[in-house]
Amino acid sequence: MKTNTKYIFVTGGVISGVGKGIMAASIGAILKAKGLKVSMQKCDPYFNVDAGLLNPREHGECFVTRDGAETDLDLGHYERFLDEEMTGDSIWTSGKLYKKLIDDERAGKFGGKSVQLVPHVTGLVQQTFLDNAKHFGSDVHIVEIGGTIGDLEGPHFVEAIREFGTKVGRENCLYVHVCYVPWLSTSQEFKTKPAQNSLRDLRELGIIPDMVVARMDVDRVIKAPQIAKKLATFCAVSEDAVVLMPDAKSVYEVPLNAVKGGVLAPLERFIDHGDPDMSQWEELMRNIESNSGKEVKIGLVAKYIDNTDTYLSVTEALKAAAWKVGAKLNTIWIDAEKATEEDFANVDGIVVPGGFGVRGVEGKIAAGKYCLEHNKPYLGLCLGLQTAVIAAARRGGVENANSEEFDAPTGANVVYIMEGQKGKESTGGTMRLGDCPAVLIKGSKTAKLYGTEKVVERHRHRYEVNQKFLKEIEKGGLVVSGVSPDGKLVEFVEAPNCDFFIATQAHPEFKSRPYRAHPLFEGLLSAASKK
Ligand code: GLN
């Protein structure tokens, strides 16, 4: 097999949640800063075909790609670190792999052969690497393997990456193992045994890594040289291939810390392409650290307030906007089920994010009403547009206004199900998904913020504004400020009488970048900081 692309495989060890995805994305950012074309992919062992039907409280946010795939939040990290838009094929779950294989088997594509883990599952996994590298025209393609080495669910991915090295040439593959090195406070030392064991497990699977990233929960760098030496001795890697990564102040510091921690030596042995220009990350960290501006309290009226990963892209978009306008962001979680006027009064601005189902909806409607009546900055995202429209319609005289999602048809469904969506309510991959264009109304505040009248944002919804009620909605304080190009769908609304009250049927949070705030979030933060 010949390849012009180099591949980096990132596995994890000891425990999950050590920041393997952030590390993989940071390596990507460093290589991009060297001027290389970098793409990324995730292989996830779970059997769900995608993340669309997963409970966000357990699994975190469902990240939507531009081509409309409902994916894992890791792809959001990849986009924010690489500033490259992922696709649905940037993630392969076991469920998606097996589904494709079984569909192919049923379609008679295997010519009578038995379909097996090796070579068929592993071969398909490898094909996804090649296809992605080709699609993105990558110099380097980075693949993160979900879970930890030793998990019962992951070996097909590990075998696929091992064998891939023999197929494309070991010199074209770099294996990175990210593992956790705990600090034992009783004896005041780091313990490398769990990492050693995990590296042994990896070697048993045929992979000797080229780089070991040791994640450490405390910054006791004095002890660090010994740790690197010890891991190198016991784990068959050279000492300069052990990168020590203590906790970072912000995830966006990780690319810089990785360089400081010594990631360049093993990377440059693998691919030599000059020094990385890290100025973008240095500038971002300077902005983050020098942020001495006024505190701005943003209330996030949400259903899941115990797992902040559920709204990860929203909170990242808020941070980026705060860094841009020089405000000190204080995100206040407001439980949508218990929200009171006092909660709304207490903050400088409000975000109502996306959501599904009736729980907490009245609190979100109340937030919209409060903001309309008190000129409080408001940003509504998807469901946050629908609840704002319900609030306005009620104010405009449609007393029992509601959404068909929460109330059986009452004749007052100011938000109703979109054409072709009925009956699909709990199925996967069937919503209006991904990039959709919108045309903004000339002269609207929305158009002014975007600085253009044609925008493209990502979507994930089944319901839409019922335009029959536009008069009442307008009477209640909201006008349409953007529509789909055919005029059939309301994409944006705004309140002419408020300094900042904009809601969108889309999810603009997915297109925010830490170093390039999204105009709507920037608008919210800048209005809130004036309050
Ligand atoms: N539940 C609403 C719909 O399906 C909003 C979806 C969302 O906020 N992503 O239209």
Side-chain angles (χ1 to χ4, degrees), residues 354-356 382-383 386 405 460-463 507:
F356 295 83
C382 204
L383 180 64
Q386 298 173 357
E405 186 178 359
R460 182 178 186 236
H461 67 122
R462 243 183 253 289
Y463 296 84
H507 288 278

Side-chain angles (χ1 to χ4, degrees), residues 385 432 437-442 444-447 450 452-455 459 465 467 470 479-494 502-506:
L385 172 136
R432 179 171 179 248
V439 184
L440 304 181
I441 308 300
K442 212 184 172 95
S444 65
K445 294 182 183 183
T446 310
Y450 271 102
T452 169
E453 279 149 32
K454 279 195 182 132
V455 297
H459 291 67
V465 174
Q467 299 196 47
L470 284 186
V479 297
V480 173
S481 56
V483 290
S484 57
D486 62 7
K488 283 191 180 155
L489 300 174
V490 171
E491 289 279 6
F492 291 86
V493 297
E494 64 183 40
I502 293 183
T504 167
Q505 192 57 79

Side-chain angles (χ1 to χ4, degrees), residues 81-332:
F81 277 77
L82 285 188
D83 198 13
E84 198 64 71
E85 291 191 293
M86 301 293 120
T87 74
D89 282 341
S90 304
I91 182 161
W92 281 83
T93 65
S94 295
K96 182 164 151 185
L97 279 172
Y98 282 101
K99 184 173 185 300
K100 176 162 178 15
L101 275 180
I102 292 168
D103 286 349
D104 283 353
E105 190 273 336
R106 290 292 80 188
K109 291 191 187 163
F110 288 97
K113 289 217 174 64
S114 49
V115 184
Q116 295 178 298
L117 197 107
V118 181
H120 299 107
V121 176
T122 49
L124 179 54
V125 174
Q126 291 163 7
Q127 192 57 47
T128 68
F129 306 156
L130 298 170
D131 291 347
N132 269 309
K134 187 167 171 211
H135 174 84
F136 286 97
S138 326
D139 298 316
V140 184
H141 182 58
I142 303 175
V143 181
E144 178 193 352
I145 306 295
T148 45
I149 291 298
D151 287 353
L152 280 177
E153 291 181 312
H156 52 299
F157 288 125
V158 182
E159 174 57 13
I161 63 172
R162 183 204 62 78
E163 195 187 76
F164 193 73
T166 62
K167 281 191 182 161
V168 301
R170 187 61 179 78
E171 69 284 6
N172 292 316
C173 297
L174 184 89
Y175 296 91
V176 180
H177 192 58
V178 182
C179 50
Y180 181 60
V181 177
W183 171 260
L184 208 64
S185 57
T186 45
S187 58
Q188 290 287 299
E189 59 182 337
F190 284 111
K191 286 294 186 189
T192 60
K193 190 70 79 188
Q196 289 180 39
N197 289 346
S198 138
L199 281 148
R200 187 200 50 220
D201 291 346
L202 189 63
R203 283 199 306 277
E204 270 173 17
L205 295 168
I207 296 174
I208 297 179
D210 305 288
M211 187 197 301
V212 173
V213 177
R215 281 282 296 111
M216 307 188 293
D217 58 351
V218 274
D219 189 358
R220 293 174 208 267
V221 275
I222 323 139
K223 307 253 179 188
Q226 287 141 268
I227 302 300
K229 199 177 202 121
K230 198 158 178 190
L231 282 173
T233 312
F234 284 97
C235 304
V237 288
S238 62
E239 201 177 319
D240 73 348
V242 180
V243 180
L244 304 175
M245 292 291 293
D247 286 347
K249 289 190 278 290
S250 150
V251 292
Y252 304 117
E253 196 187 24
V254 176
L256 297 170
N257 287 356
V259 170
K260 278 190 222 140
V263 93
L264 289 181
L267 271 186
E268 286 171 359
R269 269 200 294 276
F270 176 62
I271 186 163
D272 195 11
H273 208 268
D275 292 334
D277 172 8
M278 301 300 288
S279 53
Q280 180 190 32
W281 300 99
E282 282 155 3
E283 194 190 322
L284 177 60
M285 278 315 293
R286 265 199 304 277
N287 272 350
I288 294 176
E289 284 175 334
S290 71
N291 200 334
S292 54
K294 183 175 134 200
E295 183 192 61
V296 175
K297 289 193 211 154
I298 298 293
L300 202 61
V301 187
K303 194 162 73 165
Y304 304 107
I305 55 164
D306 52 353
N307 178 1
T308 51
D309 272 0
T310 309
Y311 307 99
L312 187 68
S313 292
V314 176
T315 51
E316 291 307 304
L318 284 170
K319 286 183 205 166
W323 297 328
K324 175 81 189 284
V325 309
K328 211 180 217 114
L329 174 68
N330 182 1
T331 306
I332 312 268

